[in-house]
Amino acid sequence: MKYTKLFSFITKAGFAIVLILSQLPTTLYAQNFDSLYSVLRAHPGKDTTRVNALWKLAQSYENKSTDSMIRIANEGLAISKDINYEKGEALCNQSIGLAYLHLSEYDKSLEHYKISQALFEKEDNKRKLINIYLSMGDVFIGQSKQAEAIEYYNKGIKLCNELKNNVGSGFALISIGGIYHDIGDYTEAINDYLKALTAFEKDNYTPGLSMTYGNIASLYAMKKDFKKAIDYIHKSEGVDPSRNSKEQNLLNISNAGDVYKLAEDYALSLSYYRKGLLIADSTGDDIWKNQFDANIADVYLGMKQYDSALQMYTKVLKLTEKIPDPLVILDACNGIGNILTERHQTNEGIKYFLRSLDVAQKNHMKQAISETARYLEESYEQVDDDKNALKYNKLYLEYRDSVYNDKSTVEIQQMQFDYELGKKETQIALLNKDKAIERSSLEKQKVIVWALLTGLGLLAIISILLYRNIRNEKRSKDEIVKQKEEILLQSARLEDLNKFKDKTFSVLSHDLRGPVTAITAAMALLDDKVISPEEFTSLTPDINKQLGTLNLLLDNLLNWAKSYMQGTIAANPERTNLNKLVDMNIYLAKDAADKKNIAIENKLPSEAFAYYDPAQLDIVIRNLLSNSIKFTNTNGTISISAIAENGRMLLSIADNGVGMSPEQLNKLFTLSVDNNTYGTGGERGTGLGLLLCYEFIIANKGQISVTSEPGKGSTFTLSLPAGQ
């Protein structure tokens, strides 16, 4: 669909990254299991050492077994309460809250985080509170409580700024930007994304920069500014993926797929989504798998592969019963609704649109409300329910104007400018600082420098003179070599043109003489009154035949000469309908075919496309069709067909005429004075037309082949690039 997915992965795994990047001593969490169990065996009683070991052991199970994490942390919590160890109670509640957040049990998670929050606030442990605030923001996201989530992310940002934790601040800003992104407040979203970029740049934290670039790319794609969107995707992909976590890489892949989907580059979009699906599937991550399945369904819908799209949407919607995700539900319901209305099951489609609208309104998603209202308006118009159509038209207009107006576009551009300007000012300040240090150093070394300058100056002058001399000599040699190459090229071209001239005059002298002599002789007989006008009329068919031969010869000769004189045959290929081009040439050849009662059959499908220069291929088809008519007996048949094969379009012109011997086949596509043949009606051919056909087909990256047997006919087959 057109509205964005949850580009921030905060709903399911952001908390893990925030914990890591908020500078907790996470190396302790990965302590050797054996050493932790050794500590526990050494401290069987209830003391703080056992509590700390249990907490660290619980943390080490975070990505292995949430059940074990909860069980071990609860044991530590029970001991902490018994011995009144508030720090242990806070740490264990935090671990339990994190485990329930992994399980999407948000109410239980929030309960434990609130206890941990109160204890850390009492202790004034700001470093720990950063993690609590950001994780609670994640919980509220899961509960679709955006306002509360933003409140806690801002609390975390405030502490991050105090402790100069730029990376933690950057992730919190990405989370806030993701919320505004999803509800359609793009101005605020870009503002937070740019702030996140600034935070990550302070520590040169490239994984965070990569994620933020991807989020900004998705926003520009929503704005249909695909050039900027793809530029930001390239920036995101410029970061080494090995430095990212699995979640970061999945987010970047999802963003790239979304950008190309909105740009309607479905093949590239599908490749990204399938790559993400493989990663999610390999790690058993059902939430990401469901999101990528929904994305793939969107692509199938865009490609109008409705059966595949419907199957995927149904699968996705079923999984949301276990893993509720409002954006995925919205996507699937609108997708199914669109497919049903496309299939004229409009009333069933309306049910899905209404469900989608309910989810969008509950989550305050302006873009989704606007889009779904538009679908409902169009659906009710189809079933002639004007009252409801008007109702949802008003809702659509109300939210449409608030989603992405000109003012917000200007504001975003200004934010982007301010961000770039601030970045440049920082760079200038650093540069000035470096220059000041450099000046100070230069002052100290001034005496030594002046002592060396004289010697260096003389050396420099000598070096410059030597360099100039060598350079001028090299330039002279290069110029001479260049002139010699130009002379050789001109000589070769002149020699080639001279051969072409000889060959052309040979054809003209040999092949024009016959038709012109015959016509001249006939006219002389008439002028000398050797024959009467009535007798001259009986010679008209022969004269017309000679004129037709002469006309075709001149036409081919001029086309070939024109292309040859240009040096190379330039082709301007474009996607064109073969059927229409063949029909036009059959129409032009109809008179010649009718004279011999030859039937021409066009067996091409109506949607047969190839990628070629239509003017050049028109000449090729005309020549081949003319040859088939020329060498086909009266009452014969010519068949023209085409098939697509391995990305090529194979166009065949087959006749049941006189055919050719192997010797004749060997002389095709050459120009020679002894390459003359006569058609079944006495028509004369020189082979020039076939040579022209060959050169035009090669210029269009195609191939031409011939199969023939004397007495059974010939088949000319053109292999051309299929229409793109």
Side-chain angles (χ1 to χ4, degrees):
M1 312 311 295
K2 293 179 182 176
Y3 56 84
T4 178
K5 288 285 191 300
L6 189 57
F7 292 108
S8 171
F9 54 86
I10 296 303
T11 54
K12 58 181 293 299
F15 45 82
I17 294 173
V18 171
L19 284 173
I20 293 169
L21 299 175
S22 296
Q23 300 174 357
L24 275 173
T26 52
T27 53
L28 295 176
Y29 302 163
Q31 278 188 344
N32 187 279
F33 278 76
D34 292 338
S35 65
L36 289 172
Y37 278 114
S38 296
V39 173
L40 291 173
R41 283 192 295 270
H43 293 268
K46 297 180 178 181
D47 59 16
T48 58
T49 303
R50 184 174 180 82
V51 170
N52 288 331
L54 287 167
W55 168 66
K56 292 171 186 176
L57 186 61
Q59 291 296 116
S60 68
Y61 275 102
E62 179 185 349
N63 295 316
K64 299 177 180 67
S65 170
T66 49
D67 290 338
S68 297
M69 186 178 182
I70 293 170
R71 177 179 55 78
I72 295 168
N74 269 320
E75 182 182 346
L77 180 59
I79 296 173
S80 297
K81 289 180 178 179
D82 287 345
I83 64 175
N84 197 28
Y85 180 39
E86 289 188 346
K87 181 178 179 180
E89 188 178 349
L91 291 171
C92 291
N93 271 300
Q94 179 186 5
S95 294
I96 297 168
L98 181 58
Y100 281 123
L101 184 51
H102 274 297
L103 295 170
S104 300
E105 295 185 29
Y106 301 117
D107 292 335
K108 290 182 180 180
S109 177
L110 191 60
E111 175 186 347
H112 288 278
Y113 273 132
K114 283 184 176 179
I115 296 171
S116 185
Q117 175 191 352
L119 292 169
F120 282 136
E121 284 178 344
K122 181 179 178 182
E123 185 186 338
D124 194 28
N125 191 330
K126 294 180 180 178
R127 192 171 298 280
K128 302 288 193 224
L129 280 171
I130 288 174
N131 300 285
I132 298 298
Y133 290 152
L134 299 184
S135 295
M136 289 178 72
D138 300 337
V139 173
F140 286 121
I141 282 288
Q143 294 178 328
S144 298
K145 296 179 180 178
Q146 290 92 343
E148 290 87 344
I150 291 172
E151 176 187 352
Y152 274 86
Y153 287 137
N154 280 323
K155 285 184 178 182
I157 290 170
K158 184 178 179 182
L159 291 182
C160 284
N161 291 338
E162 285 184 26
L163 299 179
K164 300 190 184 312
N165 185 348
N166 298 316
V167 174
S169 177
F171 275 104
L173 286 163
I174 284 182
S175 303
I176 296 173
I179 293 171
Y180 285 116
H181 201 153
D182 295 328
I183 65 176
D185 190 344
Y186 299 122
T187 305
E188 187 57 39
I190 193 66
N191 186 33
D192 290 307
Y193 289 153
L194 293 175
K195 288 179 181 177
L197 279 181
T198 301
F200 290 132
E201 285 172 345
K202 287 179 181 177
D203 287 354
N204 193 29
Y205 186 69
T206 51
L209 291 171
S210 174
M211 293 166 54
T212 313
Y213 288 144
N215 287 350
I216 294 173
S218 67
L219 189 146
Y220 277 117
M222 294 292 297
K223 184 178 173 285
K224 297 189 182 302
D225 189 344
F226 298 117
K227 184 181 183 301
K228 280 190 177 180
I230 293 171
D231 285 344
Y232 273 98
I233 286 297
H234 290 161
K235 287 184 179 181
S236 175
E237 292 177 333
V239 177
D240 182 4
S242 64
R243 298 190 60 186
N244 297 340
S245 69
K246 181 202 77 174
E247 298 293 337
Q248 290 169 329
N249 283 328
L250 286 173
L251 176 65
N252 290 337
I253 290 168
S254 177
N255 279 337
D258 289 337
V259 167
Y260 288 111
K261 178 180 68 180
L262 290 168
E264 296 184 355
D265 188 344
Y266 296 123
L268 195 52
S269 176
L270 200 58
S271 69
Y272 275 102
Y273 289 148
R274 285 175 173 164
K275 178 181 177 182
L277 186 60
L278 283 174
I279 297 173
D281 192 50
S282 67
T283 57
D285 193 324
D286 289 335
I287 297 177
W288 271 114
K289 282 167 62 179
N290 207 32
Q291 288 185 0
F292 280 117
D293 279 340
N295 285 325
I296 290 170
D298 289 345
V299 174
Y300 284 142
L301 181 60
M303 296 168 68
K304 297 184 179 180
Q305 296 181 13
Y306 297 127
D307 289 337
S308 298
L310 187 59
Q311 183 181 0
M312 293 292 289
Y313 282 133
T314 304
K315 173 186 173 184
V316 164
L317 209 52
K318 185 174 182 181
L319 191 57
T320 58
E321 295 171 5
K322 183 174 72 172
I323 307 173
D325 185 333
L327 284 166
V328 174
I329 294 170
L330 271 167
D331 203 14
C333 287
N334 275 346
I336 294 172
N338 275 305
I339 293 170
L340 291 173
T341 53
E342 186 72 21
R343 293 177 169 177
H344 305 293
Q345 297 172 266
T346 309
N347 288 322
E348 287 299 313
I350 287 172
K351 293 177 184 178
Y352 281 93
F353 289 142
L354 289 171
R355 180 180 174 187
S356 174
L357 183 63
D358 181 61
V359 173
Q361 289 175 325
K362 285 179 179 177
N363 290 277
H364 312 291
M365 299 175 179
K366 294 188 288 186
Q367 170 71 5
I369 293 171
S370 170
E371 184 176 12
T372 309
R374 182 65 168 171
Y375 293 149
L376 283 165
E377 176 196 356
E378 293 171 352
S379 298
Y380 278 117
E381 284 178 349
Q382 288 182 25
V383 296
D384 297 323
D385 187 340
D386 295 334
K387 181 179 178 182
N388 275 316
L390 180 61
K391 171 185 173 182
Y392 289 107
N393 174 261
K394 290 179 179 178
L395 184 63
Y396 160 71
L397 292 175
E398 175 186 351
Y399 280 90
R400 181 199 65 180
D401 295 334
S402 66
V403 169
Y404 216 113
N405 54 37
D406 292 338
K407 181 181 177 183
S408 69
T409 302
V410 172
E411 289 175 356
I412 286 174
Q413 291 172 345
Q414 184 62 42
M415 289 176 188
Q416 184 89 25
F417 173 81
D418 292 342
Y419 165 75
E420 296 293 342
L421 181 61
K423 191 173 178 181
K424 290 293 182 186
E425 288 174 347
T426 302
Q427 292 172 347
I428 291 169
L430 290 172
L431 184 62
N432 289 335
K433 184 178 179 181
D434 291 339
K435 286 182 177 179
I437 295 171
E438 186 181 353
R439 281 196 300 270
S440 176
S441 177
L442 287 173
E443 286 293 329
K444 294 177 183 179
Q445 300 175 19
K446 187 164 40 176
V447 175
I448 299 172
V449 170
W450 280 109
L452 294 173
L453 279 177
T454 303
L456 290 174
L458 291 172
L459 182 62
I461 292 170
I462 294 170
S463 299
I464 291 170
L465 291 173
L466 286 172
Y467 170 75
R468 285 182 176 177
N469 185 54
I470 294 169
R471 185 185 62 183
N472 291 336
E473 186 177 346
K474 185 177 182 300
R475 283 180 178 174
S476 299
K477 289 181 179 178
D478 289 344
E479 188 66 28
I480 292 169
V481 169
K482 184 178 178 182
Q483 289 175 356
K484 286 178 67 177
E485 288 176 349
E486 289 177 354
I487 292 169
L488 288 173
L489 287 173
Q490 290 174 357
S491 175
R493 179 61 179 159
L494 287 171
E495 184 179 352
D496 200 23
L497 287 173
N498 192 50
K499 290 179 180 178
F500 168 73
K501 177 210 60 171
D502 292 342
K503 190 179 291 185
T504 303
F505 278 115
S506 175
V507 171
L508 288 171
S509 64
H510 184 276
D511 294 305
L512 293 182
R513 185 183 294 119
V516 171
T517 300
I519 295 168
T520 303
M523 296 304 296
L525 290 172
L526 182 63
D527 289 340
D528 295 339
K529 298 182 182 181
V530 174
I531 60 173
S532 66
E534 291 77 14
E535 290 174 320
F536 181 78
T537 302
S538 66
L539 297 175
T540 300
D542 290 331
I543 293 173
N544 286 335
K545 187 187 303 178
Q546 296 290 349
L547 287 171
T549 300
L550 188 62
N551 182 62
L552 182 60
L553 175 63
L554 287 173
D555 191 28
N556 285 331
L557 187 62
L558 288 172
N559 279 316
W560 184 57
K562 179 182 177 183
S563 65
Y564 199 91
M565 293 299 288
Q566 290 173 345
T568 58
I569 298 178
N572 297 299
E574 61 184 56
R575 186 175 183 267
T576 310
N577 192 314
L578 280 174
N579 192 352
K580 292 182 179 178
L581 192 61
V582 168
D583 269 345
M584 181 180 70
N585 276 283
I586 290 174
Y587 175 77
L588 294 174
K590 187 175 184 304
D591 288 343
D594 287 348
K595 288 177 181 178
K596 299 173 74 172
N597 198 27
I598 294 173
I600 305 176
E601 300 175 349
N602 182 356
K603 296 183 178 181
L604 272 72
S606 59
E607 296 298 318
F609 287 92
Y611 192 66
Y612 58 86
D613 186 315
Q616 292 179 356
L617 194 61
D618 181 50
I619 293 170
V620 171
I621 293 173
R622 185 163 70 248
N623 269 283
L624 293 180
L625 187 56
S626 175
N627 272 6
S628 289
I629 294 171
K630 185 185 299 180
F631 296 106
T632 298
N633 291 309
T634 302
N635 300 320
T637 302
I638 299 172
S639 175
I640 307 175
S641 60
I643 59 170
E645 184 178 284
N646 298 326
R648 311 283 293 179
M649 184 62 70
L650 303 182
L651 174 66
S652 296
I653 300 177
D655 62 60
N656 59 356
V658 297
M660 288 179 280
S661 66
E663 292 78 11
Q664 289 174 308
L665 285 172
N666 290 333
K667 292 196 298 181
L668 288 181
F669 311 123
T670 62
L671 185 61
S672 173
V673 295
D674 63 347
N675 199 17
N676 294 324
T677 54
Y678 291 88
T680 57
E683 306 96 325
R684 187 172 185 174
T686 65
L688 179 59
L690 287 179
L691 177 59
L692 187 65
C693 292
Y694 176 81
E695 292 183 351
F696 280 164
I697 290 300
I698 296 302
N700 280 272
K701 298 181 180 179
Q703 298 169 343
I704 182 168
S705 60
V706 188
T707 58
S708 184
E709 186 175 344
K712 293 187 177 181
S714 303
T715 300
F716 284 78
T717 301
L718 309 179
S719 174
L720 295 166
Q724 295 180 346

